[in-house]
């Protein structure tokens, strides 16, 4: 196939060298015909895999956003879509987060890597077969998530809800991706690795470590497992993973995308090569320490909380260094920004990155965290980054790549500009109401009267004040989704107007074969020529912080104090807890009372590390759409819970909680109770030897006790074998092992 010559072609090799820093300033254009002396070679880039990932990005983006819009509306119309278990809020919420993070953003990540890596390395991907296995394997994982999560098959660990067989599949497909990527890097034609490749390598290595460590679990059945960690240990590991999944799945690869596509689209060199070095190494070293800032004022040891806060605050320096490097690359190209939708998406995305990475460190100050945590402010913060940083860069890539691989012009600049404004306004209509709601929640939650009593003791009084904010947020979601649909149509029309260039044949200079005069190079230039050593240094940088935080708390059991009165759950309570997890109750309810006067007055004594030693997994929650449940046991009679789960508004007028009617129809499955006891004992829960053989009888006896108690209140039609009975058993147990000590007297 002839070399590209039309307006949709990539820049020439000489232009690439001008756009990207090189040890040869200005670059060296291809010389004559002698490949033995100048290394001139023909390469065919694989655009077919790029097309596949672009289509997956658009399709899964629409799906994820639609599910997000549905659950946003459910927060003020709780019975939307009826009383169908797999369409309940608690089951759809993890589907939304997984679809957006791993399906939409994940496919966009791979789109950017597969397009840019080939051109940066001047080599086709290492293996077409590995590319196909990666693509179809990742889509199969997404489909598996779309099936299992609505069915309630979940570990409950945020951003890591998928059960163990899918976790294994993720690890295998991720290795395939890394194998293909590293193989391509090793066969690159340039001696030095461009900055985007640094971020891609760090992403692969760190996500692999995070996923494997956090996903250590012991299976009970094919689709049921318990976390290897318990309570405080599980919380630390989960948020070490959760925060750094944001860092190394949603941030570092998109910084690599920024470093490649912004110079390309603006036809300008990167602002500062030295700044990119500082940005990269400081970011990957500091980021890994910051996870504990998600657990401030919890039962996590103070030293770990403080360490997370310190490093989170330090993060602002490298993060803003990257933002400055991205925006300053556009110097001299601002006129083009006004007319080019690709650059508009990039500018807003990079600006949002700067805003989010300022906000994150600020929320790591304990006094600020005391106001924002467990409120909708965090939801606004997360979506600022997701909607504009990840979404903005994903759409910018799509608008940049598709016209080029289809050898045509973008179908409609006007539609692209409409998409840009709908995206931006939709994000603002989403984020600003959530900030407002979060501040309102926090201030009302902490307000006391002059006599020392809570001004708003009823959680619903606070909830009703923020319903208008939920409505405005859903309007923002409609705008954002409308922009996405418009963009999808524009991209489809663009593809239809052209013809896919499956194998993009170009001539490149293999600089690794060119005879060059040896000159002394900067130490980092030398390192860029050694990808294996570079990767090992990057791995070391992220492991230091991980090990220092992880080992003392997560691996040394004796560092977690125990409380003699805290006993393991009964078999029926285990079953009830698993139903609680299945229904996603932890998405709306926390089980962590922080040592604040307002929380102790409202819920009871603050939570202590020893309370959670038998919790596999932990269920502290990260957002309170409903009240904390850490001390709910015994607060209300069993009959109250029976009525509340059937019709929340019968016990709590104006409640936005959905009804769980299927719990009254479905019989409790006790066929795996014995296996659950065995598994938990292997994890360190001190059940007596051979207790598993009595577990089912024990559960049935407790079922009868609860049913008898319910019947004694005059309730009719009580069936002890239904799932609701097990859930009541669990709820009535919460917090009853801990008795609040009397206040000291002076």
């Amino acid at each position: 196939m002839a070399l590209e010559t039309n307006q949709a072609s990539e820049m020439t090799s000489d232009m690439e060298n001008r756009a990207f820093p090189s040890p040869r300033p200005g670059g060296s254009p291809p010389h004559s015909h002698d490949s033995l002396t100048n290394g001139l070679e023909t390469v065919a880039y694989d655009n077919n895999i790029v097309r596949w990932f672009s289509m997956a990005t658009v399709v899964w983006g629409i799906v994820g956003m639609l599910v997000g819009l549905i659950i946003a509306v459910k927060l003020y119309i709780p019975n939307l879509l009826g009383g169908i278990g797999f369409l309940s809020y608690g089951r759809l919420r993890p589907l939304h987060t997984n679809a957006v993070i791993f399906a939409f953003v994940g496919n966009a990540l791979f789109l950017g890597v597969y397009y840019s890596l080939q051109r940066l390395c001047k080599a086709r991907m290492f293996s077409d077969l590995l590319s196909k296995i990666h693509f179809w394997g990742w889509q199969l994982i997404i489909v598996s998530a779309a099936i299992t999560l609505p069915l309630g098959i979940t570990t409950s660990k945020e951003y890591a809800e998928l059960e163990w067989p899918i976790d294994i599949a993720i690890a295998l497909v991720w290795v395939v991706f890394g194998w293909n990527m590293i193989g391509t890097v090793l066969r690159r034609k340039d001696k030095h690795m461009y900055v985007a490749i640094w971020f891609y390598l760090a992403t692969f290595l760190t996500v692999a470590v995070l996923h494997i460590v956090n996903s250590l679990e012991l299976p009970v059945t094919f689709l049921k497992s318990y976390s290897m960690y318990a309570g405080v240990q599980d919380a630390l590991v989960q948020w070490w993973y959760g925060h750094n999944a944001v860092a190394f799945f949603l941030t570092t690869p998109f910084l690599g995308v920024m470093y490649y596509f912004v110079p390309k689209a603006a036809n300008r060199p990167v602002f500062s090569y030295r700044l990119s070095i500082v940005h990269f190494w400081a970011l990957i070293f500091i980021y890994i320490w910051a996870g504990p800032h998600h657990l401030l004022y919890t039962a996590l040891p103070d030293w770990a909380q403080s360490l997370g806060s310190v490093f989170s605050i330090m993060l602002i320096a490298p993060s803003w260094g990257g933002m400055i490097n991205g925006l300053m690359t556009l110097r001299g190209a601002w006129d083009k920004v006004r007319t080019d939708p690709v650059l508009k998406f990039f500018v807003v995305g990079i600006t949002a990155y700067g805003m989010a990475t300022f906000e994150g460190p600020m929320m790591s100050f304990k006094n600020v965290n005391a106001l924002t945590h467990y409120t909708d402010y965090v939801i606004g913060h997360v979506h600022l980054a997701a909607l504009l940083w990840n979404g903005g860069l994903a759409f910018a890539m799509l608008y940049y790549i598709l016209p080029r691989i289809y050898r045509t012009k973008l179908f409609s600049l006007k539609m692209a500009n409409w998409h840009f404004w709908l995206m931006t306004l939709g994000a603002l209509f989403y984020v600003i109401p959530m900030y407002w709601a979060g501040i309102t929640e926090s201030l009302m939650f902490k307000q006391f009267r002059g006599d020392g009593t809570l001004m708003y003791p009823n959680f619903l009084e606070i909830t009703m004040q923020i319903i208008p904010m939920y409505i405005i947020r859903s309007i923002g979601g409609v705008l954002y989704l409308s922009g996405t649909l418009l963009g999808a149509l524009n991209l489809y029309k663009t593809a239809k107007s052209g013809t896919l260039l499956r194998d993009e044949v170009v001539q490149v200079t293999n600089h690794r074969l060119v005879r060059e005069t040896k000159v002394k190079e900067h130490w980092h230039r030398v390192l860029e020529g050694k990808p294996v050593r570079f990767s090992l240094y990057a791995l070391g940088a992220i492991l230091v912080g991980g090990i220092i935080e992880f080992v003392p708390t997560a691996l040394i059991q004796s560092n977690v104090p125990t409380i003699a009165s805290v006993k393991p759950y009964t078999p029926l309570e285990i079953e009830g807890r698993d139903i609680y997890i299945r229904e996603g109750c932890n998405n709306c309810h926390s089980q962590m009372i922080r040592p604040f006067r307002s929380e102790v007055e409202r819920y009871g004594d603050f939570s202590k590390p020893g309370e959670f030693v038998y919790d596999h997994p932990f269920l502290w929650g990260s957002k309170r759409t409903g009240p904390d449940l850490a001390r709910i046991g015994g607060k209300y009679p069993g009959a109250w819970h029976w009525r509340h789960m059937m019709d929340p508004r019968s016990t709590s007028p104006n409640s936005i909680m959905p009804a769980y009617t299927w719990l009254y129809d479905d019989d409790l499955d006790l066929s795996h109770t014995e296996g659950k006891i065995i598994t938990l004992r292997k994890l360190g829960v001190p059940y007596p030897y051979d207790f598993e053989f009595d577990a089912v009888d024990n559960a049935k006896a407790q079922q009868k006790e609860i049913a008898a108690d319910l019947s004694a209140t005059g309730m009719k039609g009580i069936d002890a074998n239904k799932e609701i009975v097990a859930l009541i058993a669990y709820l009535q147990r919460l917090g009853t092992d801990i008795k609040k000590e009397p206040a000291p007297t002076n």
Side-chain angles (χ1 to χ4, degrees):
M1 186 174 293
L3 297 178
E4 297 174 271
T5 57
N6 60 31
Q7 60 186 10
S9 300
E10 286 294 314
M11 298 176 185
T12 63
S13 297
D14 181 56
M15 184 61 72
E16 282 196 352
N17 283 322
R18 288 198 296 110
F20 303 130
S22 150
R24 296 168 301 281
S28 302
H31 296 301
S32 61
H33 49 280
D34 187 0
S35 63
L36 293 177
T37 58
N38 63 27
L40 195 63
E41 294 183 6
T42 299
V43 174
Y45 299 145
D46 180 8
N47 285 336
N48 196 41
I49 188 66
V50 174
R51 177 188 64 162
W52 288 357
F53 276 115
S54 66
M55 290 189 296
T57 300
V58 173
V59 170
W60 289 119
I62 293 171
V63 172
M65 294 169 201
L66 179 60
V67 176
L69 180 58
I70 290 171
I71 63 174
V73 175
K74 275 179 168 285
L75 283 175
Y76 55 90
I77 308 178
N79 289 327
L80 178 70
L81 302 179
I84 303 173
F86 63 86
L87 294 179
S88 66
Y89 178 91
R91 298 196 194 183
L92 288 182
R93 198 254 186 180
L95 175 63
H96 163 62
T97 56
N98 277 265
V100 170
I101 295 173
F102 299 109
F104 170 55
V105 177
N107 278 295
L109 180 167
F110 300 134
L111 165 68
V113 170
Y114 275 89
Y115 182 85
S116 65
L117 189 66
Q118 296 182 82
R119 289 154 178 82
L120 290 171
C121 294
K122 298 180 181 178
R124 190 180 181 91
M125 292 304 298
F126 177 71
S127 168
D128 288 2
L129 177 61
L130 291 179
S131 297
K132 293 174 182 176
I133 293 173
H134 175 204
F135 176 81
W136 291 112
W138 196 256
Q139 309 317 309
L140 182 61
I141 288 167
I142 295 168
V143 171
S144 299
I147 294 172
T148 57
L149 291 174
L151 292 176
I153 300 170
T154 174
T155 66
S156 84
K157 299 177 74 169
E158 204 154 359
Y159 315 142
E161 292 93 346
L162 303 179
E163 269 292 358
W164 68 272
I166 308 176
D167 281 339
I168 293 174
I170 292 171
L172 293 175
V173 173
W174 193 254
V175 168
V176 168
F177 164 58
W179 181 5
N180 206 12
M181 179 174 66
I182 293 172
T184 307
V185 172
L186 292 176
R187 67 193 293 187
R188 70 197 183 283
K189 304 300 188 296
D190 272 339
K191 178 183 177 182
H192 301 90
M193 297 185 299
Y194 178 64
V195 59
I197 301 175
W198 313 346
F199 284 96
Y200 297 159
L201 290 173
T203 296
F204 166 69
L205 295 169
T206 311
V207 169
V209 172
L210 295 170
H211 174 71
I212 291 170
V213 172
N214 189 54
S215 298
L216 292 176
E217 51 215 357
L218 201 58
V220 179
T221 65
F222 177 64
L223 290 173
K224 176 64 183 176
S225 65
Y226 290 123
S227 173
M228 294 282 286
Y229 317 99
V232 172
Q233 297 170 314
D234 196 39
L236 175 66
V237 175
Q238 161 58 25
W239 282 112
W240 174 73
Y241 161 88
H243 178 78
N244 290 302
V246 172
F248 288 91
F249 196 87
L250 301 178
T251 303
T252 54
F254 281 81
L255 288 169
V257 162
M258 178 192 78
Y259 274 110
Y260 175 82
F261 285 96
V262 171
K264 279 289 205 177
N267 193 19
R268 301 287 301 170
V270 170
F271 173 65
S272 172
Y273 168 68
R274 292 181 183 275
L275 183 57
S276 68
I277 296 174
V278 176
H279 176 208
F280 173 76
W281 290 106
L283 191 79
I284 68 168
F285 176 76
I286 295 173
Y287 235 134
I288 207 77
W289 297 75
H293 77 223
H294 289 264
L295 300 170
L296 299 183
Y297 291 112
T298 67
L300 189 73
D302 285 341
W303 70 266
Q305 296 184 38
S306 299
L307 203 59
S309 292
V310 169
F311 278 89
S312 297
I313 294 163
M314 290 168 61
L315 259 178
I316 194 169
S319 298
W320 271 47
M323 177 195 68
I324 291 168
N325 219 7
L327 292 179
M328 289 300 291
T329 298
L330 297 170
R331 69 200 186 285
W334 291 107
D335 287 340
K336 190 175 181 182
V337 172
R338 288 194 289 268
T339 58
D340 187 350
V342 171
L343 288 178
K344 288 181 181 178
F345 279 99
F346 274 125
V347 167
V348 169
I350 296 169
T351 304
Y353 169 70
M355 294 168 64
T357 53
F358 173 79
E359 195 173 46
M362 293 303 101
M363 292 166 65
S364 300
F365 283 100
K366 283 195 168 185
N367 54 346
V368 177
N369 186 274
L371 291 170
T372 59
H373 192 47
Y374 284 136
T375 74
D376 281 299
Y377 194 98
V378 178
I379 307 301
H381 165 67
V382 170
H383 282 80
L384 171 67
L387 295 175
L388 293 181
W389 164 242
N390 295 118
L393 265 64
F395 295 127
M397 281 192 292
L398 288 165
Y399 282 125
Y400 179 89
I401 292 172
L402 258 68
R404 285 165 171 79
I405 67 173
Y406 277 94
R407 295 178 291 178
T408 187
K409 291 183 178 180
L410 184 65
F411 175 74
S412 172
L413 284 175
K414 187 175 181 180
M415 289 173 67
N417 282 314
W418 270 104
H419 178 192
F420 168 79
W421 286 111
L422 286 169
M423 178 196 79
T424 305
L425 291 174
L428 293 176
F429 270 85
Y430 189 112
V431 171
I432 294 173
M434 289 300 94
Y435 287 159
W436 192 287
I439 294 170
T440 301
E441 287 171 286
S442 185
L443 294 180
M444 291 182 70
F445 193 87
K446 295 176 179 295
Q447 190 68 35
F448 282 85
R449 294 189 176 93
D451 61 1
T453 60
L454 289 166
M455 182 169 288
Y456 305 103
N458 188 339
F459 195 93
L460 278 172
E461 292 181 271
I462 302 172
T463 301
M464 294 309 298
Q465 293 298 316
I466 61 175
I467 293 296
M469 302 300 104
Y470 286 164
I471 295 173
I472 297 173
R473 169 175 67 173
S474 63
I475 294 172
V478 170
L479 291 174
Y480 197 96
L481 179 58
S482 299
T484 302
L485 292 171
L486 187 65
L489 177 62
N490 199 6
L491 292 167
Y492 171 75
K493 292 285 190 180
T494 300
K496 289 290 287 183
S497 68
T499 304
L500 178 68
L501 184 63
R502 288 176 176 268
D503 298 298
E504 184 178 327
V505 179
V506 295
Q507 283 191 326
V508 300
T509 300
N510 189 338
H511 291 292
R512 300 175 73 183
L513 298 180
V514 174
R515 298 189 181 99
E516 295 179 339
T517 303
K518 290 187 177 181
V519 295
K520 187 176 180 180
E521 294 184 312
H522 185 271
W523 67 269
H524 202 271
R525 282 292 186 193
V526 175
L527 187 58
E528 291 166 30
K530 303 178 184 298
V532 175
R533 183 179 299 180
F534 186 99
S535 298
L536 290 175
Y537 287 170
L539 183 62
I542 64 102
L543 285 179
V544 171
I547 291 171
I548 290 174
E549 288 185 341
F550 178 81
V551 172
T553 300
L555 294 186
I556 303 176
Q557 185 69 35
S558 59
N559 285 345
V560 180
T562 58
I563 300 174
S565 61
V566 174
K567 305 298 181 186
Y569 295 107
T570 67
L572 187 63
E573 290 162 1
I574 291 173
E575 296 292 350
R577 191 173 196 269
D578 286 343
I579 293 171
Y580 183 96
I581 290 172
R582 183 192 74 193
E583 301 302 336
C585 300
N586 55 294
N587 290 315
C588 291
H589 298 281
S590 59
Q591 291 184 26
M592 172 54 58
I593 303 173
R594 297 174 295 175
F596 300 149
R597 178 188 171 200
S598 57
E599 297 206 10
V600 172
E601 288 291 329
R602 191 180 302 271
Y603 298 125
D605 197 14
F606 65 88
S607 301
K608 301 167 182 65
E611 294 184 52
F612 309 101
V613 292
Y614 305 132
D615 284 9
H616 295 268
F618 85 112
L619 294 174
W620 295 359
S622 60
K623 166 71 175 72
R624 286 175 178 157
T625 307
D628 187 274
L629 302 181
R631 303 279 183 261
I632 195 69
K635 184 176 181 179
Y636 304 104
W640 185 92
H641 289 291
W642 179 281
R643 291 194 297 269
H644 184 67
M645 299 300 293
M646 174 66 77
D647 180 11
R649 280 149 293 285
S650 67
T651 57
S652 307
N654 299 318
S655 171
I656 60 172
M657 175 178 159
Y660 290 84
T661 54
W662 55 92
L663 300 180
Y664 300 79
D665 299 325
D666 297 340
D667 289 333
L668 180 65
D669 181 7
L670 295 173
S671 61
H672 299 298
T673 304
E674 179 180 328
K676 292 178 180 181
I677 296 295
I678 294 171
T679 303
L680 289 169
R681 186 166 58 214
K682 289 179 179 178
L683 293 173
V685 181
Y687 289 111
Y689 182 72
D690 286 346
F691 178 69
E692 62 269 20
F693 299 121
D694 300 322
V696 173
D697 290 338
N698 185 297
K700 290 181 177 179
Q702 190 174 3
Q703 282 178 314
K704 291 178 181 178
E705 290 178 9
I706 295 173
D709 177 67
L710 292 171
S711 297
T713 63
M715 302 185 72
K716 305 296 183 182
I718 304 299
D719 187 341
N721 297 316
K722 300 303 180 184
E723 289 184 338
I724 183 61
V725 174
L727 182 59
I728 290 173
Y730 173 64
L731 293 173
Q732 292 290 60
R733 170 65 185 276
L734 288 176
T736 57
D737 288 347
I738 304 293
K739 304 298 181 183
K740 183 175 181 179
E741 298 178 2
T745 57
N746 294 325

